[in-house]
Amino acid sequence: QSALTQPASVSGSPGQSITISCTGTSSDIGGYNYVSWYQQHPGKAPKLMIFGVTNRPSGVSNRFSGSKSDNTASLTISRLQTEDEAHYYCSSYTSSGTLYLFGSGTKVTVL
Amino acid sequence: QVQLVQSGAEVKKPGASVNVSCKSSGYTFTGYYMHWVRQAPGQGLEWMGWINPNSGGTKYAQKFQGRVTMTRDTSISTMYMELSRLTSDDTAIYYCVRDLSDFWAFDYWGQGTLVTVSS
């Protein structure tokens, strides 16, 4: 099974809100509440931003929020800041043989 | 504080095997499932499999079955990932990650180990 589908890039100005979509199927996103989101800055390891669709780990800004509708999950970044410029990956458990899928990744640019 | 410290970069020839280690500290090693995730240069993330450090039980992604082996040594809180029959497509950064129990989410990541496969 191929990766979950994300837009290649999303951009916004400081202070604005942006939303990144992540589209899967009923075998992954639509069937389970095991959606996570990761932020990755260049040359760094990914960082967990959202787990269980809507939950934020301790220390993650409340400007980051997650949601899900049918087979599509979304990450919203409110009050965009320059340090939010990074790649973002969604992920989900899947009932297929792959067991776990990552999204194709979205480059967020702060204009 | 939780730390995952991986072994250093490796250069391997096609057909060879590589063994990457990941030493855990700052938490109960046997209390959390651990996974391996890799990232080819300029590419996205790819899940490889998990190991239960308590029982040693493993589950591998179909793509890697027969080629990957994950083990652990509880006496030194360290897990290992061996990948065999390497090809240039296996050139990537390999990360060990801790599972945030019950959510299939990865809350701590090692620093990554670059494995380069080149003749």
Side-chain angles (χ1 to χ4, degrees):
Chain A
Q1 183 176 355
S2 55
L4 304 171
T5 302
Q6 297 181 233
S9 63
V10 172
S11 62
S13 300
Q16 288 186 329
S17 292
I18 61 169
T19 296
I20 304 168
S21 62
C22 173
T23 302
T25 69
S26 57
S27 296
D28 39 72
I29 292 176
Y32 306 91
N33 288 324
Y34 291 141
V35 177
S36 300
W37 289 90
Y38 300 88
Q39 175 193 66
Q40 187 178 33
H41 288 108
K44 301 293 187 182
K47 174 186 176 183
L48 180 64
M49 305 302 284
I50 296 288
F51 66 93
V53 181
T54 61
N55 302 287
R56 273 188 315 276
S58 174
V60 171
S61 170
N62 60 10
R63 298 185 298 105
F64 292 84
S65 62
S67 63
K68 186 183 83 165
S69 177
D70 296 329
N71 298 336
T72 298
S74 299
L75 174 71
T76 298
I77 309 175
S78 305
R79 304 185 300 282
L80 201 60
Q81 299 180 1
T82 54
E83 58 260 37
D84 299 333
E85 188 162 290
H87 276 91
Y88 291 82
Y89 295 92
C90 62
S91 68
S92 175
Y93 170 83
T94 173
S95 56
S96 76
T98 313
L99 279 190
Y100 196 78
L101 291 172
F102 283 99
S104 46
T106 299
K107 169 74 170 126
V108 168
T109 301
V110 181
L111 302 171
Chain B
Q1 71 283 18
V2 174
Q3 282 194 306
L4 304 176
V5 179
Q6 300 181 221
S7 49
E10 303 262 14
V11 178
K12 296 292 183 180
K13 293 195 182 301
S17 298
V18 68
N19 199 319
V20 181
S21 68
C22 171
K23 183 172 177 59
S24 302
S25 62
Y27 71 100
T28 302
F29 178 65
T30 52
Y32 296 80
Y33 278 48
M34 297 292 289
H35 303 244
W36 288 91
V37 173
R38 76 177 187 178
Q39 186 171 35
Q43 302 300 310
L45 303 167
E46 183 174 33
W47 180 77
M48 299 181 69
W50 58 249
I51 182 168
N52 177 346
N54 189 38
S55 67
T58 55
K59 188 73 172 179
Y60 306 136
Q62 272 186 345
K63 174 178 179 177
F64 299 103
Q65 282 180 3
R67 223 166 48 94
V68 70
T69 305
M70 297 177 188
T71 58
R72 94 289 189 222
D73 184 339
T74 57
S75 68
I76 55 173
S77 300
T78 299
M79 70 171 188
Y80 306 89
M81 187 282 299
E82 182 179 31
L83 189 62
S84 63
R85 303 194 301 277
L86 294 169
T87 72
S88 57
D89 289 341
D90 294 316
T91 294
I93 297 174
Y94 290 76
Y95 294 100
C96 64
V97 300
R98 193 183 81 162
D99 191 326
L100 177 63
S101 302
D102 300 327
F103 286 98
W104 276 88
F106 308 142
D107 59 349
Y108 286 94
W109 294 63
Q111 83 276 19
T113 296
L114 175 61
V115 175
T116 303
V117 183
S118 173
S119 54

